[in-house]
Amino acid sequence: MILQKLLAKSPRLEARLELLELATGLMLFGFLQFHMFAVSSIILGVDAFNRDSARMDEYYLSYIGIPLVILAILVHGLVAMRKAPWKFQEMRVFVQHSRRLAHLDTWAWGVQILTGLIVLVLAATHIWSVLVTWPIEAATSAARIQGGYFSSFVLLILAAEIHAMVGLYRILVKWSWIHRKKFTKYLVYATIGMVGLGFLTLLVFYFRSIPKGLS
Amino acid sequence: MADRLLTFSVFRYNPITPEIPPRMQEYQLEETMGMSLFIALNRLREEMDPSLMFDFVCRAAICGSCAMLINGRPGLACKTLTQDMPDRITVMPLPVFKLVGDLSVDTGVWFRHLNVRTEAWIHTDKVFNPKSIEARMDNPTAQAIYDAERCIECGCCIGACATANMRADFMGAAFLNRIARFMIDPRDERPTAKYFDVVGTDEGVFGCIGLMACDDLCPMEIPLQGQLAFVRRKMAQMALKCKKSA
Ligand code: SF4
Ligand code: SF4
Ligand code: FES
């Protein structure tokens, strides 16, 4: 034991950071899937989408939800990053180790770090662009998607869903709430389903011409 | 399967002669019936290269000294049959542990440290009375202890762990498994708080990122996922309890 480590060590805080990562992770997982279903209401029609959006506005769900989600993303990002291989050497160790090992779960961690970074950047721009064109309406969303954001949404949906599902898998494994080998396939189905739903929503937005004032 | 010519690509490096850089050296050997990597390496040393360094003791998956990276994955050389392997076999020493030379690493110091840090003995105030009848233990508990006790300290779970590879002070599955073993044991009177100080940290169970390479590659097939989760839950409970009293 060395002095600086002895003094800096705090099991209580380190454990709580872990729990914070867990809690924000689960919360963001829930939010992401909720958000996916909510925007997919465009598949049912413009009115359904606008009604949903207006209702959330009406009950202040958006005004409580959005700041909370932003906060959760920031906290989750920061807490999760503490374990990522930031030093160049660590990164090389990790990549070489994973290549030698050829072990799916080990690679999955690399995927998670990568998708996490993508989500951080794209979600920030996404939230920003939604906020500056507030309120949420089918017309503004369609304008955004038709106006050049399409490919970034494809990437965001993929990155977010993969990050969320792999994250959920790792949470369940770490706390041993599932039988690892048996459960994996359900998560793969769920990922494919949610990504499919996301893409469908995106396509509807892309091809539907929405009358109300395209600003 | 007979008549196969196997190519062994063996990691060579001797810290005593650092001027010779680490390299992979190739040897070829005819496969024989029931050949294990233990047999193959011994033949290489006897017939081709007496300078080759590697460790074996029991050659029966008991002592844990022959763990190495076999085609990139940690495993016991004595338990690995060449018939289950492709024509080309790469062997490297286990990472994380101190390299003695070629395939030989020092797991001893690491595991000694583990035993000291976990205080791997029963802590009790009860005075042992050799004349009294032994206290009974129920079967599931005994079984759970036995499960953890099967660890042969080979170090495969440590070599397989990405965290242990990146962070030298991470304890790894063998360590946490050992802690679990004493936490289950009703004879051990240590309070959970005591364990918390040792493993409730980022060097301990909260440094684990759940990649389960340890669980997949433990040659004794110890259910490490469950063992890690057991420690994790106990430690999380502890952290929450502290919150209330704080
Ligand atoms: S837990 Fe398994 S892999 Fe790890 S040292 Fe023990 S026997 Fe080896
Ligand atoms: S589950 Fe934890 S201890 Fe096991 S290999 Fe992964 S990070 Fe290491
Ligand atoms: S030689 Fe003892 S475990 Fe392989």
Side-chain angles (χ1 to χ4, degrees), chain A residues 188-204:
Chain A
V188 172
Y189 296 153
T191 315
I192 294 172
M194 291 312 289
V195 169
L197 185 66
F199 283 175
L200 190 63
T201 307
L202 208 52
L203 286 175
V204 171

Side-chain angles (χ1 to χ4, degrees), chain B residues 8-50:
Chain B
F8 291 89
S9 178
V10 181
F11 177 88
R12 303 300 307 270
Y13 179 70
N14 192 337
I16 297 172
T17 53
E19 62 281 4
I20 308 171
R23 67 202 180 279
M24 299 302 292
Q25 191 168 342
E26 294 207 346
Y27 303 92
Q28 288 195 318
L29 205 61
E30 293 243 346
E31 188 172 35
T32 50
M33 272 287 272
M35 185 191 241
S36 69
L37 224 45
F38 159 76
I39 297 172
L41 285 170
N42 272 296
R43 275 190 54 198
L44 290 184
R45 181 161 65 185
E46 264 160 40
E47 297 165 20
M48 297 180 206
D49 193 341

Side-chain angles (χ1 to χ4, degrees), chain A:
Chain A
M1 199 30 99
I2 34 184
L3 179 73
Q4 74 274 27
K5 287 231 165 187
L6 183 68
L7 296 179
K9 190 176 93 151
S10 167
R12 211 149 29 96
L13 288 179
E14 283 159 38
R16 284 188 206 167
L17 280 184
E18 179 82 6
L19 291 173
L20 198 60
E21 184 183 345
L22 171 73
T24 49
L26 285 176
M27 173 185 157
L28 288 170
F29 181 90
F31 165 73
L32 176 70
Q33 312 312 347
F34 166 75
H35 176 292
M36 262 327 187
F37 283 118
V39 293
S40 73
S41 63
I42 192 69
I43 299 170
L44 301 178
V46 175
D47 292 339
F49 183 90
N50 285 343
R51 193 176 351 99
D52 277 359
S53 156
R55 193 160 300 153
M56 268 185 258
D57 224 333
E58 200 177 311
Y59 293 115
Y60 295 98
L61 215 60
S62 308
Y63 303 102
I64 304 162
I66 294 176
L68 263 182
V69 167
I70 296 177
L71 190 69
I73 292 178
L74 286 177
V75 170
H76 184 74
L78 283 173
V79 183
M81 275 176 197
R82 78 195 194 287
K83 286 182 192 164
W86 290 120
K87 286 191 212 141
F88 181 65
Q89 256 197 18
E90 280 178 351
M91 207 181 322
R92 281 197 82 195
V93 166
F94 176 71
V95 171
Q96 289 178 352
H97 171 77
S98 312
R99 291 179 58 172
R100 269 198 308 265
L101 211 58
H103 178 251
L104 197 62
D105 285 29
T106 302
W107 275 119
W109 190 56
V111 168
Q112 253 206 316
I113 295 171
L114 205 70
T115 50
L117 289 174
I118 295 174
V119 170
L120 217 50
V121 175
L122 291 184
T125 45
H126 173 55
I127 294 172
W128 174 256
S129 68
V130 168
L131 290 184
V132 293
T133 56
W134 197 257
I136 297 173
E137 270 170 6
T140 46
S141 300
R144 199 162 33 236
I145 288 163
Q146 290 166 12
Y149 275 107
F150 186 80
S151 49
S152 83
F153 272 115
V154 171
L155 192 60
L156 179 57
I157 291 173
L158 271 177
E161 279 299 342
I162 291 175
H163 186 87
M165 291 294 179
V166 178
L168 181 68
Y169 167 77
R170 295 214 355 259
I171 286 173
L172 294 175
V173 163
K174 275 205 257 182
W175 297 88
S176 220
W177 286 323
I178 52 162
H179 186 290
R180 198 149 66 91
K181 306 253 153 73
K182 281 187 205 146
F183 196 73
T184 315
K185 68 167 184 276
Y186 298 115
L187 279 180
V188 172
Y189 296 153
T191 315
I192 294 172
M194 291 312 289
V195 169
L197 185 66
F199 283 175
L200 190 63
T201 307
L202 208 52
L203 286 175
V204 171
F205 268 123
Y206 192 67
F207 286 113
R208 174 166 271 167
S209 60
I210 291 170
K212 269 192 293 181
L214 278 177
S215 57

Side-chain angles (χ1 to χ4, degrees), chain B residues 4-5 9 18 44 55 84 88 94 96 110 112 145 155 166 217 226 242:
Chain B
R4 249 192 345 158
L5 189 65
S9 178
L44 290 184
D55 298 321
D84 304 326
R88 241 192 109 75
L94 272 191
V96 186
W110 199 96
R112 157 122 191 104
I145 294 174
M166 290 188 298
L217 293 167
C242 290

Side-chain angles (χ1 to χ4, degrees), chain B:
Chain B
M1 81 143 252
D3 305 318
R4 249 192 345 158
L5 189 65
L6 299 175
T7 307
F8 291 89
S9 178
V10 181
F11 177 88
R12 303 300 307 270
Y13 179 70
N14 192 337
I16 297 172
T17 53
E19 62 281 4
I20 308 171
R23 67 202 180 279
M24 299 302 292
Q25 191 168 342
E26 294 207 346
Y27 303 92
Q28 288 195 318
L29 205 61
E30 293 243 346
E31 188 172 35
T32 50
M33 272 287 272
M35 185 191 241
S36 69
L37 224 45
F38 159 76
I39 297 172
L41 285 170
N42 272 296
R43 275 190 54 198
L44 290 184
R45 181 161 65 185
E46 264 160 40
E47 297 165 20
M48 297 180 206
D49 193 341
S51 72
L52 188 61
M53 287 187 269
F54 55 85
D55 298 321
F56 284 98
V57 179
C58 72
R59 47 124 187 88
I62 295 165
C63 72
S65 39
C66 67
M68 55 185 74
L69 294 183
I70 305 161
N71 283 349
R73 293 186 151 204
L76 298 178
C78 69
K79 205 186 171 190
T80 306
L81 295 178
T82 55
Q83 68 192 35
D84 304 326
M85 308 292 288
D87 294 348
R88 241 192 109 75
I89 301 170
T90 311
V91 277
M92 291 175 92
L94 272 191
V96 186
F97 301 100
K98 187 169 160 238
L99 188 60
V100 177
D102 298 342
L103 302 174
S104 168
V105 291
D106 179 358
T107 49
V109 169
W110 199 96
F111 277 98
R112 157 122 191 104
H113 177 72
L114 177 157
N115 285 314
V116 172
R117 285 286 302 280
T118 54
E119 302 187 12
W121 57 86
I122 300 281
H123 292 53
T124 179
D125 291 333
K126 288 199 191 89
V127 182
F128 178 64
N129 177 3
K131 295 216 182 78
S132 71
I133 298 173
E134 225 179 310
R136 270 176 184 276
M137 183 184 285
D138 63 280
N139 212 30
T141 312
Q143 202 63 46
I145 294 174
Y146 176 66
D147 237 5
E149 281 270 278
R150 289 187 298 121
C151 171
I152 57 171
E153 304 196 347
C154 62
C156 285
C157 56
I158 309 301
C161 173
T163 312
N165 271 262
M166 290 188 298
R167 314 257 146 94
D169 49 10
F170 178 59
M171 292 167 183
F175 202 115
L176 298 166
N177 176 58
R178 185 64 48 87
I179 287 277
R181 180 246 173 272
F182 285 96
M183 281 169 62
I184 305 165
D185 198 321
R187 293 165 300 182
D188 195 295
E189 287 162 359
R190 269 180 279 184
T192 316
K194 205 110 198 245
Y195 298 111
F196 189 53
D197 279 339
V198 184
V199 287
T201 61
D202 277 353
E203 282 92 53
V205 73
F206 297 121
C208 162
I209 47 180
L211 306 179
M212 293 300 141
C214 53
D215 185 81
D216 284 332
L217 293 167
C218 170
M220 304 313 288
E221 293 173 20
I222 296 174
L224 291 172
Q225 182 194 350
Q227 302 291 71
L228 291 173
F230 172 74
V231 178
R232 180 179 285 274
R233 289 182 196 165
K234 286 271 187 230
M235 292 305 120
Q237 275 167 15
M238 206 55 214
L240 292 175
K241 241 187 243 157
C242 290
K243 197 188 259 172
K244 265 177 222 145
S245 63

